[in-house]
């Protein structure tokens, strides 16, 4: 039986990752990232997985000013990294 959806027919929704700036697919049928509601940003699965223990502030220097502009209190873990919101 043929699927209703063909990969040739799909319109891909591409979103820019806030951290690395690369685009990732966010539908249909593939969601290669996540919207972080508490911070109001989209992040690709590569950045999520490579920073699972926390975000090193120096790697993404635009993160701290962005969070401060949103009045989000920045906390750091024991390594000095910014943990993901829970």
């Amino acid at each position: 039986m043929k699927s209703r959806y063909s990969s040739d027919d799909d319109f891909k929704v591409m979103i820019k990752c806030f951290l690395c700036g690369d685009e990732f697919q966010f539908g249909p049928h593939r969601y290669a990232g996540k919207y972080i509601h508490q911070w109001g940003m989209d992040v690709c699965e590569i950045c999520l997985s490579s920073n699972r223990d926390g975000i090193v502030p120096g790697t993404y220097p635009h993160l701290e000013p962005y969070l401060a502009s949103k009045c989000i209190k920045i906390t750091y873990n024991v390594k000095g990294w910014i943990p993901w919101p829970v």
Side-chain angles (χ1 to χ4, degrees), residues 21 31 51 54 57-58 62-63 69:
Y31 297 89
N51 294 288
H62 58 286
L63 177 61
S69 75

Side-chain angles (χ1 to χ4, degrees), residues 34-55:
K34 181 179 178 180
Y35 180 71
I36 309 297
H37 293 278
Q38 297 92 325
W39 291 353
M41 68 174 67
D42 295 291
V43 182
C44 71
E45 62 188 11
I46 295 169
C47 285
L48 285 167
S49 63
S50 61
N51 294 288
R52 85 178 56 118
D53 293 334
I55 303 163

Side-chain angles (χ1 to χ4, degrees), residues 12-77:
K12 294 180 181 179
V13 177
M14 302 301 287
I15 306 248
K16 185 176 178 180
C17 175
F18 179 84
L19 291 180
C20 70
D22 288 346
E23 287 191 341
F24 62 93
Q25 186 175 343
F26 202 72
H29 313 299
R30 171 143 170 72
Y31 297 89
K34 181 179 178 180
Y35 180 71
I36 309 297
H37 293 278
Q38 297 92 325
W39 291 353
M41 68 174 67
D42 295 291
V43 182
C44 71
E45 62 188 11
I46 295 169
C47 285
L48 285 167
S49 63
S50 61
N51 294 288
R52 85 178 56 118
D53 293 334
I55 303 163
V56 179
T59 306
Y60 306 103
H62 58 286
L63 177 61
E64 289 177 296
Y66 170 80
L67 294 175
S69 75
K70 297 273 193 184
C71 298
I72 297 171
K73 184 175 186 260
I74 301 170
T75 59
Y76 301 91
N77 63 21

